[in-house]
Amino acid sequence: MTTTVVAATPPVTRRVRAYFAPVNRAAATPSIFDAAQTGAFSLDAPPAPWVDLGWCTGFTRKSGTKVAVVQLGSPAITQSQMRTEVEATVSLQFESWGKLQLALAAGSQQMNLLQTATGAAANGSGGIAATAAPLTPDGTSTATRLSVGAAAATAFSAGDLVAVDVDYSGQTGFVGSGVSAAYVRSSSAVGGDANYVRRVSLNVGRVVAVNEGSIQLAAPLPAGVPTTAMKVSALAGFVDREGGSFFQEWSALFVMQGEQGDRVIFHYPRLQAMQGSAEVVETLVAPLEQMRLAGAFRALPVKDANDGEMVLCFRSYLPGAMRAV
């Protein structure tokens, strides 16, 4: 029996799905995606450590790479070419709002509005935070259940948002469990605030139940099982600022699923935010308007282990079944 090979066609797609993964900023190690091994993953179940950030619109990638020529002779004749500058940028709009989408579109630190202490002075990114609840030292906490003891648990209710991370204790450099959320130059720069790491941490969750001294979360914490050194702070929401010196950096995948079974994947191992926080407003049915988070990123290079070349992006094409190639 012979199977027929059908003609190759251009990919026909509807939307772009975005997935991001942390970059180890201290070690300068991005998350690498191998399309040869896992390129056919289910769009609803990306392989670890990739996090699904949903559909996005307005996906635009631009190559700023410049090519110059070497000319010799009279009249001058082009003899060879060289790349004089390699650059790439990506811009998009997220179709949903969440902590990670906000962080990516913030440009700089994306902060948590921690519950303030009684009488705290007003501050744009949140006043002095209330005392955090320590996890019990018995190691019974999990990525979805936080053991804080019966007394501390009474301060939390189903529906609360919480940040789970360590105290700030004078450390400098990148801070935040699971994801580098900010860079601390000195203790004095953050006022020695014991809650600073929880203020910037991306290790947040939604409380769905409180019982028997434990807090149940709706989804696993991004940083996984918390250590007993971590504490829990309630928060009201999130805030980011125009300005700041920190650059968000993430590894990213953008997947276009073809209608004929093919797939195009753009893998940027290192993307840094290249603009401040921005939104795009779209009229649904007047006067209702929808706001989309707008992000723009500049690609940074990594070395391809196959040949040592420095590259910014990997574009993979997985042809549909029995398509000619």
Side-chain angles (χ1 to χ4, degrees):
M1 177 179 178
T2 301
T3 303
T4 302
V5 175
V6 296
T9 58
V12 177
T13 65
R14 296 172 185 263
R15 294 187 292 177
V16 178
R17 191 82 166 250
Y19 306 86
F20 284 73
V23 171
N24 184 330
R25 304 293 297 274
T29 305
S31 295
I32 298 298
F33 179 79
D34 188 338
Q37 299 184 49
T38 53
F41 70 88
S42 166
L43 294 183
D44 294 326
W50 299 95
V51 178
D52 182 6
L53 294 191
W55 300 105
C56 58
T57 56
F59 174 76
T60 304
R61 72 188 201 103
K62 294 181 179 178
S63 171
T65 299
K66 297 179 180 177
V67 177
V69 299
V70 176
Q71 296 180 325
L72 296 174
S74 180
I77 299 176
T78 298
Q79 301 293 326
S80 62
Q81 296 189 106
M82 67 182 73
R83 289 185 175 85
T84 60
E85 183 177 340
V86 178
E87 186 175 51
T89 60
V90 173
S91 61
L92 57 88
Q93 299 156 27
F94 293 106
E95 292 197 1
S96 56
W97 286 53
K99 174 65 178 177
L100 291 181
Q101 290 91 339
L102 285 161
L104 285 155
S108 191
Q109 297 99 323
Q110 212 290 322
M111 309 174 81
N112 301 313
L113 287 167
L114 301 183
Q115 183 180 69
T116 57
T118 302
N123 186 57
S125 59
I128 295 174
T131 302
L135 297 175
T136 55
D138 57 6
T140 57
S141 294
T142 69
T144 56
R145 187 170 66 85
L146 307 173
S147 299
V148 295
T154 60
F156 299 92
S157 302
D160 285 350
L161 293 168
V162 294
V164 185
D165 218 315
V166 298
D167 274 349
Y168 177 74
S169 56
Q171 59 268 45
T172 57
F174 294 104
V175 297
S177 297
V179 178
S180 297
Y183 187 90
V184 178
R185 296 186 298 276
S186 66
S187 177
S188 60
V190 298
D193 178 12
N195 289 293
Y196 184 74
V197 180
R198 284 182 293 278
R199 193 179 294 282
V200 297
S201 178
L202 280 86
N203 203 36
V204 302
R206 172 76 75 178
V207 177
V208 293
V210 179
N211 51 55
E212 299 180 351
S214 66
I215 300 168
Q216 187 69 39
L217 301 179
L221 290 168
V225 178
T227 70
T228 55
M230 293 183 179
K231 296 181 179 178
V232 185
S233 291
L235 61 100
F238 312 108
V239 58
D240 50 60
R241 305 165 296 185
E242 186 67 40
S245 58
F246 179 72
F247 284 91
Q248 293 280 345
E249 181 176 324
W250 294 77
S251 300
L253 290 180
F254 302 102
V255 180
M256 296 179 177
Q257 180 62 47
E259 293 293 308
Q260 296 161 313
D262 46 0
R263 177 175 288 188
V264 181
I265 303 171
F266 300 99
H267 171 35
Y268 291 87
R270 298 179 62 202
L271 280 183
Q272 281 200 355
M274 58 176 284
Q275 72 175 27
S277 57
E279 311 83 31
V280 174
V281 178
E282 175 187 26
T283 300
L284 295 176
V285 178
L288 297 178
E289 295 179 331
Q290 175 177 263
M291 295 175 63
R292 290 198 178 105
L293 293 166
F297 309 92
R298 175 170 284 108
L300 300 179
V302 296
K303 181 183 290 186
D304 189 330
N306 278 329
D307 55 13
E309 293 279 5
M310 299 298 290
V311 298
L312 304 179
C313 174
F314 300 89
R315 181 184 68 182
S316 299
Y317 173 58
L318 307 183
M322 298 314 297
R323 286 285 169 187
V325 296

